[in-house]
């Protein structure tokens, strides 16, 4: 099976040695997306809700570039800077992703200054 690089100008271009997404067969892995506005390169908002919404728009853009959608996502990993942000992130997440929700893991970690959330996705597409 061929490994296909997925890229789109509708999500931020990575500043690190990684692809926005990789598809191999029916499996699509979307790299961790951050809350950067792809048009301005700036962090979109100062709240967890604003940053979660932008981050999920970036995930969605990579999914669409691969011919996928939220219905294909089986797992999301959310990285937050602290547990105090969980409730606010959950509200923005639920509004953006919608039911039925994919499986999810949420972890807490240090992110670069100003960044409050990072999200990656695993999707399985019909061939």
């Amino acid at each position: 099976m061929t490994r296909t690089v997925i890229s789109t100008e509708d999500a931020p271009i990575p500043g690190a040695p990684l692809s926005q997404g990789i598809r191999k067969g029916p499996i699509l892995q979307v790299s961790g997306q951050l809350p950067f506005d792809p048009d301005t390169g700036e962090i979109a908002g100062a709240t967890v809700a604003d940053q979660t919404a932008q981050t999920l728009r970036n995930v969605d853009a990579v999914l669409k570039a691969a011919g996928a959608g939220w219905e294909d996502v089986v797992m999301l990993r959310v990285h937050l800077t602290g547990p105090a942000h969980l409730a606010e992130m959950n509200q923005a997440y639920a509004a953006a992703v919608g039911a039925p929700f994919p499986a999810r893991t949420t972890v807490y970690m240090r992110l670069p200054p100003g960044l409050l959330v990072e999200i990656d996705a695993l999707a399985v597409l019909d061939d």
Side-chain angles (χ1 to χ4, degrees):
M1 268 182 235
T2 302
R3 188 173 76 157
T4 304
V5 174
I6 306 300
S7 64
T8 178
E9 292 181 3
D10 294 329
I13 304 301
L18 57 95
S19 299
Q20 289 173 316
I22 292 287
R23 181 173 178 181
K24 187 166 184 175
I27 306 296
L28 170 65
Q29 177 65 55
V30 176
S31 290
Q33 297 295 304
L34 294 165
F36 291 110
D37 181 314
D39 294 327
T40 66
E42 299 294 321
I43 297 172
T47 68
V48 172
D50 290 342
Q51 289 193 18
T52 298
Q54 181 62 55
T55 300
L56 289 168
R57 282 192 295 273
N58 295 340
V59 170
D60 186 57
V62 179
L63 290 170
K64 286 180 179 171
W70 290 110
E71 68 278 3
D72 300 306
V73 175
V74 296
M75 176 69 177
L76 288 163
R77 280 177 292 264
V78 177
H79 304 264
L80 292 173
T81 56
H85 295 145
L86 184 61
E88 187 179 351
M89 184 281 298
N90 273 334
Q91 287 183 326
Y93 173 93
V97 175
F101 300 107
R104 187 181 94 194
T105 298
T106 303
V107 297
Y108 305 104
M109 62 178 284
R110 183 179 303 219
L111 291 168
L115 298 175
L116 302 173
V117 63
E118 179 177 3
I119 302 173
D120 71 278
L122 178 66
V124 179
L125 288 70
D126 296 327
D127 275 339

